[in-house]
Amino acid sequence: MRVLIYPYIPDLNKDGLKSLRNYIKKRAEEMNSDITVQVDGDPNLFDLYKLDNLRTYLGSGARAYDVVEVDTILLGELVTSNLIQPDPNPVVPVNDISFLRSAVDAVRYNGHQYGIPTLINDVIASKRSSFLAYAEVIGQALFTDAGLVIQSVRAPPFGGAGHLQMYTDALVANRNTYEAKKDAIKKFITFYTSINFRFEYAYCGDMDFKCIRYVLPAISGFYSLEKVEQNCLYSQLRDVFMTSDGGGDYTEEFATYRIDTGVPGHDNQPVFLRKHLASLRVLAL
């Protein structure tokens, strides 16, 4: 089976996520000896924000994939374009007990579940170190700048729970190949969304657990793991993203900051920023 993962995450090895993709394949096949998985997702080769591309990836041609990890901001377009379909008996039922509440809402459309959440994301800020960026940038920043100290994190006003569902990544199945490959697809989804693998993904199992990506798994149980609870940053992020209001109203506190991508005309445009994480920086007005 063919899988296309969401590519806009910290590429700590600077290899187009090759080491992570190889690790996903290795672990998926170790856990399921009867399936063979091809995992793609080089951020330099795939653009998952163009609907025409998604029509190809979720189509029936040679470049199609059986499972694609997408940003659910595009879920409505995928549904109305007839590229994905709800599963009346999902292998991983999405509910408020197993998943963060915002992630549950993010994969539903017209009352039906169309995907399984993997990651959530929103803009976070550190008051003392003047750091403002998408949560998934933390790992990259700490990995590349040993002198950066992120002492505290809080969600700016645009980080409330109602806004979080715009920034949830999820696995969706290709309706063209689902029936023929249903067993393999369900086994991969079960593996990829398991708490154990979410830990390996966040804590860089592909790099011998030498660093942390600080991505935010959508599975609630991840934040109750002992190592996660003991991690200072993860404990703060958990408090922000597991509350109903996204951490409170910090309008005045963060009013003096803006995100600058370095590209004229693209300031404060979320989708653009997510695709250009490396250029994020904070400027005081």
Side-chain angles (χ1 to χ4, degrees):
M1 64 174 295
R2 285 162 51 86
V3 175
L4 178 56
I5 64 169
Y6 184 77
Y8 310 115
I9 63 168
D11 185 7
L12 302 184
N13 265 335
K14 302 296 183 183
D15 61 355
L17 301 179
K18 182 178 180 180
S19 59
L20 175 61
R21 290 183 279 114
N22 288 342
Y23 186 76
I24 293 171
K25 171 182 172 62
K26 172 177 174 288
R27 294 292 287 126
E29 293 176 354
E30 286 176 350
M31 298 300 294
N32 301 278
S33 59
D34 56 340
I35 68 173
T36 300
V37 184
Q38 175 186 327
V39 182
D40 291 330
D42 186 329
N44 301 305
L45 300 177
F46 293 90
D47 187 341
L48 270 64
Y49 284 94
K50 290 184 178 179
L51 189 57
D52 284 346
N53 289 351
L54 289 170
R55 287 193 178 100
T56 298
Y57 304 148
L58 291 167
S60 57
R63 297 179 60 200
Y65 290 85
D66 303 301
V67 175
V68 180
E69 189 174 17
V70 301
D71 187 331
T72 56
I73 194 172
L74 300 170
L75 188 71
E77 292 182 88
L78 298 181
V79 173
T80 56
S81 297
N82 206 32
L83 297 175
I84 58 176
Q85 62 186 10
D87 188 344
N89 298 298
V91 61
V92 181
V94 177
N95 54 56
D96 291 344
I97 298 175
S98 301
F99 292 85
L100 301 182
R101 191 180 69 181
S102 58
V104 173
D105 294 338
V107 297
R108 296 190 182 280
Y109 189 85
N110 288 338
H112 299 289
Q113 177 186 326
Y114 281 88
I116 297 89
T118 54
L119 301 171
I120 64 170
N121 195 29
D122 201 16
V123 177
I124 60 89
S126 169
K127 293 189 295 180
R128 297 186 183 92
S129 58
S130 296
F131 182 88
L132 176 65
Y134 283 101
E136 61 199 23
V137 183
I138 295 177
Q140 185 75 60
L142 292 173
F143 189 74
T144 58
D145 183 359
L148 177 63
V149 178
I150 303 178
Q151 296 171 304
S152 65
V153 294
R154 305 176 81 175
F158 36 91
H163 187 75
L164 276 174
Q165 62 184 337
M166 292 181 62
Y167 304 105
T168 299
D169 303 326
L171 295 179
V172 296
N174 187 333
R175 66 178 300 152
N176 295 292
T177 64
Y178 184 72
E179 287 302 321
K181 300 183 180 182
K182 183 187 299 185
D183 290 343
I185 289 173
K186 289 190 172 185
K187 287 178 180 179
F188 178 82
I189 289 175
T190 300
F191 149 75
Y192 194 71
T193 58
S194 67
I195 293 177
N196 287 342
F197 183 71
R198 291 290 91 193
F199 176 83
E200 295 175 24
Y201 184 103
Y203 275 71
C204 298
D206 55 307
M207 299 174 67
D208 297 323
F209 300 97
K210 293 178 180 177
C211 56
I212 305 174
R213 285 192 172 88
Y214 286 107
V215 291
L216 300 172
I219 299 174
S220 302
F222 169 84
Y223 301 92
S224 298
L225 296 174
E226 184 177 0
K227 284 190 176 181
V228 178
E229 286 190 327
Q230 293 173 351
N231 181 281
C232 177
L233 283 178
Y234 260 134
S235 66
Q236 294 179 69
L237 290 168
R238 176 197 60 208
D239 292 341
V240 169
F241 291 101
M242 293 187 76
T243 57
S244 61
D245 62 358
D249 183 3
Y250 303 110
T251 304
E252 294 183 3
E253 186 171 354
F254 294 104
T256 58
Y257 293 103
R258 67 183 174 89
I259 298 176
D260 186 356
T261 64
V263 180
H266 286 290
D267 294 350
N268 299 316
Q269 294 191 18
V271 170
F272 181 87
L273 293 178
R274 293 202 66 183
K275 293 166 61 179
H276 298 80
L277 300 180
S279 63
L280 282 171
R281 61 183 184 274
V282 176
L283 299 178
L285 292 177

